[in-house]
Amino acid sequence: VIRCTHRVHLLSTCVLISCLQLPSMCSSRAGVQGIGVNYGMMGSDLPSPDKVVALYKANNITDVRIFHPDTNVLEALRGSGLGVVLGTLNSDLAPLASDASYAASWVQSYVQPFAGAVSFRYINAGNEVIPGESAALVLPSMQNLEAALRAAGLSVPVTTAMATSVLGTSYPPSQGAFSEAALPTVGPIVSFLASRGTPLLVNVYPYFAYSAEPSSVPLDYALLSSSAAVAVTDNGVEYANMFDAILDAVYAAVEKAGGGESLELVVSETGWPSGGGGYGASVENAAAYINNLVRHVGRGTPRRPGKAVETYIFAMFNENQKPEGVEQYFGMFQPDMSQVYHVDFSASS
């Protein structure tokens, strides 16, 4: 997870927010699943991978996203039935993009040995590197990984995860568009994904918009509260929560970039901190946001009504090796596996 700057237009204001920066031999599942959770590993006292996998299953969590390949974690996932989103390190994008043999070796090391026993949903090449100096590496990395997977007889979709900083316009949602800095990179990626029916991963954080401008953003609107009043009306379409407004702005941008209405979005990260001193960071608010989210995502958004949004909560654990402040407090569980707050994952059905 890395830092980035998001420009999100909310209500009538433009808010600058800082966000955190999860027939073949392979068992790759298609279709929308239940709720997934990001499994971050930047903690000195986290439980062993086998205990983590058991904790996922005990809580009816169906899918897991890991930010980089870890063979101990992949071993623990064998036969678990959990859907797995496997990320590459951002630092691996340069060799993945320039060297097809490196991509082949990556697949041979981290995918092929586990194929059939691990249900890989996607490989995501890089996390939140667009726009930026590594942005041009993303598409060739995706292409080389796809070619390496095919050569190995494996069928796993390859995509990437983006922050909403790729948007130049996000208000109102129907006017969502990629920024001039991002579009030259994102446009070809959108075309690549659309031609394969593979979704784009996007990280969505209403918390940072709220904490940056709490006087302008109603808390209920940020928390997906069922009692929230309509805060945005866009050509007759009403938005009573920020999650839908942000996601629909990305959908609009994708459509304008040539992805049409068929390209799906997966929310690869979203969460709310339970502590760390940030405005609005509390156990009560974190519990409200995550439980409201679990109940909400199956309904779709105003731009995609009734179409469930595949969503990965950030994150499973509080991680003490992240920078001090809210970044250490996005977990639903403590490292000793006790709950920070309760989440009813069965509500997603």
Side-chain angles (χ1 to χ4, degrees), residues 273-275 282-284 286-287 316-318 329-335 337-342:
S274 63
S282 70
V283 171
E284 179 183 9
M316 195 66 171
F317 298 105
N318 285 339
Y329 292 91
F330 273 85
M332 297 179 297
F333 292 89
Q334 301 286 6
M337 298 194 296
S338 63
Q339 292 181 342
V340 177
Y341 50 85
H342 179 68

Side-chain angles (χ1 to χ4, degrees), residues 22-318:
L22 156 21
S24 73
M25 296 165 54
C26 178
S27 176
S28 175
R29 305 189 307 177
V32 173
Q33 309 301 308
I35 296 291
V37 178
N38 286 268
Y39 174 13
M41 304 173 204
M42 294 180 66
S44 63
D45 49 359
L46 297 178
S48 61
D50 59 320
K51 291 181 179 178
V52 174
V53 170
L55 188 62
Y56 270 71
K57 298 184 71 173
N59 284 275
N60 298 311
I61 303 168
T62 60
D63 298 86
V64 56
R65 177 179 178 229
I66 55 178
F67 291 92
H68 60 87
D70 183 304
T71 52
N72 291 327
V73 173
L74 291 168
E75 285 289 349
L77 286 164
R78 284 186 183 273
S80 67
L82 296 176
V84 178
V85 180
L86 176 60
T88 72
L89 291 167
N90 288 345
S91 58
D92 278 345
L93 290 175
L96 285 169
S98 62
D99 187 352
S101 65
Y102 187 92
S105 176
W106 195 95
V107 167
Q108 290 164 8
S109 297
Y110 304 124
V111 184
Q112 197 164 6
F114 306 96
V118 173
S119 297
F120 291 106
R121 287 194 56 67
Y122 318 108
I123 306 296
N124 76 270
N127 184 54
E128 297 189 342
V129 298
I130 303 170
E133 59 184 21
S134 297
L137 302 173
V138 175
L139 182 57
S141 294
M142 293 167 61
Q143 292 167 330
N144 281 344
L145 283 167
E146 180 186 70
L149 288 161
R150 287 179 174 173
L154 306 174
S155 178
V156 184
V158 181
T159 184
T160 189
M162 298 183 185
T164 52
S165 54
V166 296
L167 295 177
T169 303
S170 58
Y171 180 85
S174 64
Q175 297 303 305
F178 294 118
S179 69
E180 291 182 3
L183 186 58
T185 304
V186 177
I189 290 173
V190 165
S191 297
F192 175 94
L193 296 173
S195 68
R196 291 154 174 78
T198 300
L200 173 66
L201 276 52
V202 59
N203 300 337
V204 176
Y205 282 100
Y207 167 74
F208 291 105
Y210 169 75
S211 64
E213 288 282 343
S215 63
S216 300
V217 181
L219 179 60
D220 284 353
Y221 180 68
L223 291 176
L224 294 99
S225 172
S226 59
S227 62
V230 172
V232 173
T233 301
D234 180 10
N235 292 328
V237 178
E238 296 181 336
Y239 288 88
N241 71 78
M242 191 186 302
F243 179 88
D244 283 354
I246 295 173
L247 200 56
D248 275 358
V250 182
Y251 268 123
V254 163
E255 291 171 18
K256 292 180 178 70
E261 296 185 3
S262 62
L263 180 59
E264 297 295 329
L265 298 178
V266 168
V267 175
S268 41
E269 294 178 33
T270 189
W272 195 286
S274 63
Y279 195 93
S282 70
V283 171
E284 179 183 9
N285 286 345
Y289 179 77
I290 297 300
N291 280 284
N292 289 340
L293 177 84
V294 169
R295 289 188 290 267
H296 177 75
V297 293
R299 305 171 190 168
T301 71
R303 202 172 184 92
R304 298 286 190 277
K307 192 163 189 63
V309 181
E310 185 177 343
T311 300
Y312 294 78
I313 294 165
F314 188 86
M316 195 66 171
F317 298 105
N318 285 339

